[in-house]
Amino acid sequence: MAPDRAEENGLPAEFGFIARVFRPLAGDGALDLRDDAAVFTPPAGRQLVVAADAMVEGVHFLPDDPSHTIGRKLLRCNLSDLAAMDATPLGYLLTVSMPPARDEAWFAGFAAGLAQDQQHFAITLLGGDTTATSGPLVLSLTILGHVAPGMALRRNTAREGDGLWVTGTIGDGAMGLLARQGQVLDPDGFLASRYQLPCPRLGLELGGVASAGMDVSDGLVQDLGHMARESGVGAIIEAPWVPLSPAVRALGPTWLTQCLTGGDDYELLLAVPPAREASLLAHAARVDVAVTRIGQIVPGSGVQVRDEAGRDIKLARRGWSHVQP
Amino acid sequence: MAPDRAEENGLPAEFGFIARVFRPLAGDGALDLRDDAAVFTPPAGRQLVVAADAMVEGVHFLPDDPSHTIGRKLLRCNLSDLAAMDATPLGYLLTVSMPPARDEAWFAGFAAGLAQDQQHFAITLLGGDTTATSGPLVLSLTILGHVAPGMALRRNTAREGDGLWVTGTIGDGAMGLLARQGQVLDPDGFLASRYQLPCPRLGLELGGVASAGMDVSDGLVQDLGHMARESGVGAIIEAPWVPLSPAVRALGPTWLTQCLTGGDDYELLLAVPPAREASLLAHAARVDVAVTRIGQIVPGSGVQVRDEAGRDIKLARRGWSHVQP
């Protein structure tokens, strides 16, 4: 984390604590974060998978979210990108642009959260940088993983006739944000915890099982729209089949459309041929992840959402607004 | 660059132009920046080298620096980290956290600058993210490269008796910042251009030549101090030997100490045994990079800077302040 560059990066000298809290996170090859770069040998016979995401205070997390969840949220969102490609995590690099108000205790909590997740996901910090900013806290994380050659799951390969499946439950993250904002009840904090700490669905090993896969981060309907468009097919969601957590069900049916279109799920959306459903269920059971069929891939284009009577549910918005490139 | 997440990332829908300007930068394996992650096969029989740096407007570049140099500066700083390890670049990931005031023309210039450097350095964009921020522009870049196994240059392996060498000229970046701030004259803009666009010294292939190497980013004296301390040796700089550009020499001798301690050089600092000097010169000539001997590694500890009469030059500061972790 470039401990030697505090002042160059606009940080006062007393911010040496940043080096102290980050150095223990460094893994093999990171050279104790003391050299210009990390060096490591990639796993033999595997392809590399890389992704990067940034999170900004006030946009992707709330200023009063506990510091020990903020780094982990970004790490888990990136791990979800690896899960979506059926990849195994290797390590990560992290840059932190910090406003003056963060103190040593804040960063100690931040690093302790990362240390906990590093152990849980068997990864280490490979490098990074810490700079000052006069604006909100900005975190940027690059994740590295690996996958068997040619076996990465893609989102543009769904086929007519595939069943549509999701892992876990849908809408917890979106309702968790509303709960954090005091708009819905969350008596035991389950929804807030799902918003703060998504569960990347790693280890399913679906490269030979699913036709296509992606992670649901911007709203189920919108993300399925991307899969359908890029695969040149249409899709139907049977709304009553979409798995909801007990905490979401307790909020009542008025929130259903927000669950189908809200962000922050970080579940996997999978297109699976009927002949491979048993295999999907076996893989999911092996890692103890629930998978639920929610619809199917059909000829045509677009996403149709149907209610229990088979009628179209009209959605005011399909998710976090899609920007057509 | 996550074009589908504009609104989720706090960006208005009209910022679809970000996707349009970044997508042409995507290389093989980046899957057109349309999937969750990039997938590529690492070069056979090589180690991977990775580094990440962030730059914040007002800290690492000036708000009125031309947009076409800003991304390139960050890219080149990261490439300099690879050069310091004697690594060959593979590709990069970039996250951009943008304030509301940046418009399409600004980003078009930003991407055009990157495109130019991608071609120059034979690398491509592998992935990234764009988010909104209410603060200053924040860029974070992760560079990936590769090196022959066990041949990465380290900074902690300098040995007593090694000569100390630098590439290029020292102080241009520090004087360039002063020129941009109107504090020194820069009639032809050379110094400003060196501040805005460092020249990473790639391709020297010094793994078997230099004992140790690092890039000079935070001030020559301070960075040499790191090399000396981590190698368990001392070092002497003969100030009159330090190579200065004609533009710096034209400013007169009063600026010498600022050149020796200022940041933004992005030159290589090398410890080379006398027996390998001829080899160093041959490697440098092959890639047309000047190398100059500036002193030597000695027993003991610390860095001594001497004038033409061999007297100590006392420095009020040794560089951008070192934060002892």
Side-chain angles (χ1 to χ4, degrees), chain B residues 101-168:
Chain B
R102 307 291 172 174
D103 63 4
E104 183 156 358
W106 191 93
F107 266 89
F110 181 85
L114 287 173
Q116 194 175 333
D117 268 7
Q118 288 193 184
Q119 187 160 25
H120 184 70
F121 295 108
I123 55 175
T124 56
L125 182 64
L126 289 169
D129 194 14
T130 307
T131 72
T133 176
S134 57
L137 181 68
V138 178
L139 305 174
S140 177
L141 196 147
T142 295
I143 193 91
L144 280 73
H146 57 95
V147 69
M151 296 298 277
L153 267 185
R154 300 290 310 277
R155 58 172 65 178
N156 62 355
T157 45
R159 289 175 299 202
E160 187 187 326
D162 286 345
L164 275 174
W165 297 73
V166 292
T167 57

Side-chain angles (χ1 to χ4, degrees), chain B residues 75-95:
Chain B
L75 181 57
R76 287 164 175 235
C77 294
N78 275 267
L79 287 168
S80 183
D81 285 327
L82 289 191
M85 309 295 283
D86 205 38
T88 303
L90 264 175
Y92 69 105
L93 300 96
L94 175 67
T95 66

Side-chain angles (χ1 to χ4, degrees), chain B residues 215-294:
Chain B
D215 79 328
V216 183
S217 54
D218 303 336
L220 175 63
V221 176
Q222 174 176 291
D223 284 334
L224 176 55
H226 300 329
M227 179 185 279
R229 190 183 62 252
E230 295 182 22
S231 299
V233 295
I236 295 171
I237 294 175
E238 308 288 356
W241 301 359
V242 174
L244 305 176
S245 65
V248 164
R249 283 199 303 271
L251 298 177
T254 54
W255 298 100
L256 176 64
T257 57
Q258 294 210 38
C259 289
L260 298 179
T261 57
D264 279 304
D265 284 311
Y266 300 103
E267 297 290 351
L268 295 186
L269 172 64
L270 301 162
V272 179
R276 298 205 201 116
E277 283 185 7
S279 178
L280 170 68
L281 294 169
H283 281 246
R286 192 174 47 75
V287 292
D288 200 23
V289 169
V291 290
T292 306
R293 182 151 178 253
I294 61 163

Side-chain angles (χ1 to χ4, degrees), chain A residues 112-154:
Chain A
L114 286 173
Q116 194 176 335
D117 268 7
Q118 287 193 183
Q119 188 161 23
H120 184 70
F121 295 108
I123 55 175
T124 56
L125 181 65
L126 290 169
D129 195 14
T130 307
T131 73
T133 176
S134 56
L137 180 68
V138 178
L139 305 173
S140 177
L141 196 148
T142 295
I143 193 93
L144 280 73
H146 58 95
V147 69
M151 296 298 277
L153 267 185
R154 299 291 310 278

Side-chain angles (χ1 to χ4, degrees), chain A residues 230-245:
Chain A
E230 295 182 23
S231 299
V233 296
I236 295 170
I237 293 175
E238 307 289 356
W241 300 359
V242 175
L244 305 177
S245 65

